[in-house]
Amino acid sequence: MQLSIVIPLYNEEESLPELTQWIERVMKENGFEYEIIFIDDGSTDNSWEVIKQLKQKNPNIRAFRFKRNYGKAAGLHVGFQKARGDVIITMDADLQDSPDEIPEFYRMITEENYDLVSCWKKKRYDPWLSKNLPSKIFNFTARLVSGIKLHDFNCGLKAYKKKVAKAIEVYGDMHRYIPILVKNAGFKRIGEKVVKHRPRKYGKSKYGWSRFLHGFLDLLSITFMSNFSKRPMHFFGTLGLLSFFIGFLILAYLSYLKIFEHITKIADRPLFYLGVLTVILGTQLFLTGFLGDMISRNSPLRNEYLIDEEIE
Ligand code: UDP
Ligand code: MG
C-alpha cells in the first residue's frame, strides 16, 4: 500500500462527506493504492454515524473511535500505529487542508527522500489576532530552540516516511512539535511545502488562546526531555554545583572577616543571606538531579534506541 491518510477529528460531521469525496477523487486521478484512517476523538455529534455510512461506500476507509476526547495528539498516535502505507499523510478534517496537495507530498517523500514534509500556510485564512500573530511568535520560538528551519511547525498537513511515523511517540499536546520529535529521533531530512490554506467551512476551531501558553510550556518540556531526560544530573547537578560554589565562596569570605579581621555583625549583611541561600539552593538542586537520575534509571525507556538498519 502506498498511502495512509490519517485524519483525527472531533465533531466534524458536516465536513466528513465532502472531505472523503475529495480525497477519493484525488486518489483515483493519481491511481494511488491507499487507505483513509479516521480517528474519532470522542465526538459528541454525528461524526461516527457519518463515518459508518462512508465506510459502506468505500472499503478503503478504516476508523477508530475513542471513548472520550483525548486530544489531537492521541488521534495521531493511534493513526500512526494502525497505518500500513509506505507514506503516511496526516490532515485535519475541517477542509482547511486540501487533498489536492497529497500527490506532491507523496513525491517529495518517495523521490526527494524526505523523512518529513510539513506544510506551510504562507497565506492564512484564520483570525489575525487570535491565531496568526500568536502562531508567528510560537513558530519563531520553536525555530530558535530547535534549530529546525520550518515556518509552520503546527501545520496539520504533513507527510512521513512510514518508519518515521512509527518511530515517534506523539502524546499530550506534542502534535505541535512533531518536527522536533522527528529530529530528536535522529531523522534529518525535514522539509516544507507551501500550501493553499482555506478558511474553516463548517463547525468551529477546537483550540483557543490557551494553546499558546500550553505550547510554550511543552516546548520547555520537550527541550529538557531531549537533552537531559536520560541524565537529569547533568542539568541539575551543574546548576547545583555552581550555586553551592558561589555560596561557599561568599561564606568563606565572611568567615575570614569574622575570624581574622574580627568584624562583627556579619549576619546583618545582605551578602550573608545570599551566601546561605545559594548554598541551600545548590544542595537542593544537586539532590533533585540525584533523584532525577534514580527515576530515569528505573524508566522503561532508559534503553530505548532506534535501530535504523540491520545486517545479520
Ligand atoms: N481535533 C481532534 N481532537 C481535539 C481537537 C481537535 O481530533 O480534541 C481535530 C479537529 O477535528 C481537526 C484538527 O484536529 O480535524 C485540527 O483542529 P482545529 O481545526 O480545531 O484546529 P485549528 O485549525 O483551529 O488550529
Ligand atoms: Mg482547522
Side-chain angles (χ1 to χ4, degrees):
M1 180 174 295
Q2 294 170 293
L3 269 174
S4 292
I5 302 168
V6 171
I7 306 176
L9 64 114
Y10 180 54
N11 293 346
E12 308 279 4
E13 57 182 0
E14 303 105 319
S15 308
L16 292 171
E18 204 172 315
L19 178 70
T20 308
Q21 249 179 25
W22 192 353
I23 294 176
E24 284 166 349
R25 200 191 72 224
V26 174
M27 293 298 110
K28 211 167 146 201
E29 281 169 9
N30 291 273
F32 279 126
E33 233 176 88
Y34 74 102
E35 63 181 359
I36 301 176
I37 302 180
F38 285 119
I39 316 287
D40 180 349
D41 186 13
S43 294
T44 49
D45 66 357
N46 274 325
S47 293
W48 187 248
E49 275 65 41
V50 174
I51 292 172
K52 279 203 279 195
Q53 281 166 19
L54 292 167
K55 163 85 187 170
Q56 284 179 354
K57 279 180 274 166
N58 184 347
N60 294 332
I61 293 176
R62 297 164 69 204
F64 304 89
R65 182 191 196 182
F66 288 157
K67 194 93 185 132
R68 67 169 179 86
N69 179 246
Y70 288 105
K72 187 177 173 185
L76 291 175
H77 179 69
V78 170
F80 289 160
Q81 284 187 325
K82 304 285 180 190
R84 298 175 184 145
D86 297 331
V87 173
I88 298 173
I89 305 272
T90 60
M91 61 191 300
D92 290 355
D94 55 4
L95 293 165
Q96 288 195 274
D97 306 323
S98 153
D100 286 324
E101 311 275 1
I102 295 176
E104 177 59 15
F105 274 83
Y106 180 80
R107 198 193 61 76
M108 287 177 79
I109 297 282
T110 52
E111 288 174 28
E112 292 183 40
N113 200 27
Y114 278 106
D115 294 314
L116 169 74
V117 181
S118 181
C119 68
W120 174 18
K121 296 166 287 199
K122 203 166 178 180
K123 181 154 177 34
R124 272 186 82 153
Y125 293 91
D126 275 325
W128 194 79
L129 195 61
S130 66
K131 272 273 178 65
N132 297 4
L133 176 70
S135 152
K136 283 216 162 69
I137 300 172
F138 166 88
N139 281 305
F140 174 79
T141 322
R143 253 196 315 275
L144 202 69
V145 170
S146 70
I148 305 173
K149 305 249 170 317
L150 284 184
H151 289 90
D152 200 352
F153 280 73
N154 187 19
C155 194
L157 181 58
K158 287 189 171 63
Y160 309 71
K161 270 195 192 132
K162 184 191 215 162
K163 66 174 175 192
V164 175
K166 304 268 180 194
I168 57 174
E169 191 166 342
V170 198
Y171 64 96
D173 271 342
M174 292 302 182
H175 59 276
R176 298 193 185 109
Y177 295 113
I178 285 179
I180 306 184
L181 294 176
V182 168
K183 185 186 173 198
N184 288 346
F187 297 100
K188 295 191 184 68
R189 283 194 57 79
I190 299 175
E192 70 183 349
K193 175 187 182 311
V194 175
V195 297
K196 278 207 207 81
H197 188 238
R198 295 141 44 92
R200 205 180 226 285
K201 195 162 169 186
Y202 308 105
K204 52 175 193 281
S205 171
K206 312 296 183 286
Y207 296 101
W209 251 97
S210 69
R211 77 160 96 190
F212 294 100
L213 178 61
H214 297 164
F216 178 68
L217 294 173
D218 284 346
L219 185 62
L220 284 181
S221 164
I222 205 171
T223 312
F224 179 80
M225 291 305 272
S226 71
N227 291 331
F228 298 111
S229 69
K230 292 208 167 83
R231 39 188 189 289
M233 188 51 138
H234 290 192
F235 180 75
F236 294 107
T238 310
L239 288 178
L241 282 179
L242 192 71
S243 175
F244 188 90
F245 185 66
I246 292 171
F248 181 81
L249 286 185
I250 291 174
L251 293 181
Y253 167 69
L254 292 175
S255 305
Y256 169 83
L257 292 184
K258 171 117 189 154
I259 296 168
F260 296 103
E261 310 271 332
H262 306 293
I263 294 175
T264 50
K265 295 201 172 164
I266 292 289
D268 283 354
R269 296 187 173 199
L271 197 60
F272 174 77
Y273 292 97
L274 186 66
V276 172
L277 179 74
T278 44
V279 164
I280 295 177
L281 209 66
T283 317
Q284 298 257 309
L285 281 166
F286 195 79
L287 283 175
T288 308
F290 194 58
L291 290 176
D293 262 10
M294 280 168 68
I295 293 169
S296 88
R297 190 188 157 88
N298 287 316
S299 152
L301 301 175
R302 68 180 176 275
N303 257 336
E304 188 152 283
Y305 313 110
L306 181 63
I307 296 174
D308 196 24
E309 284 175 55
E310 270 179 61
I311 302 175
E312 280 186 295

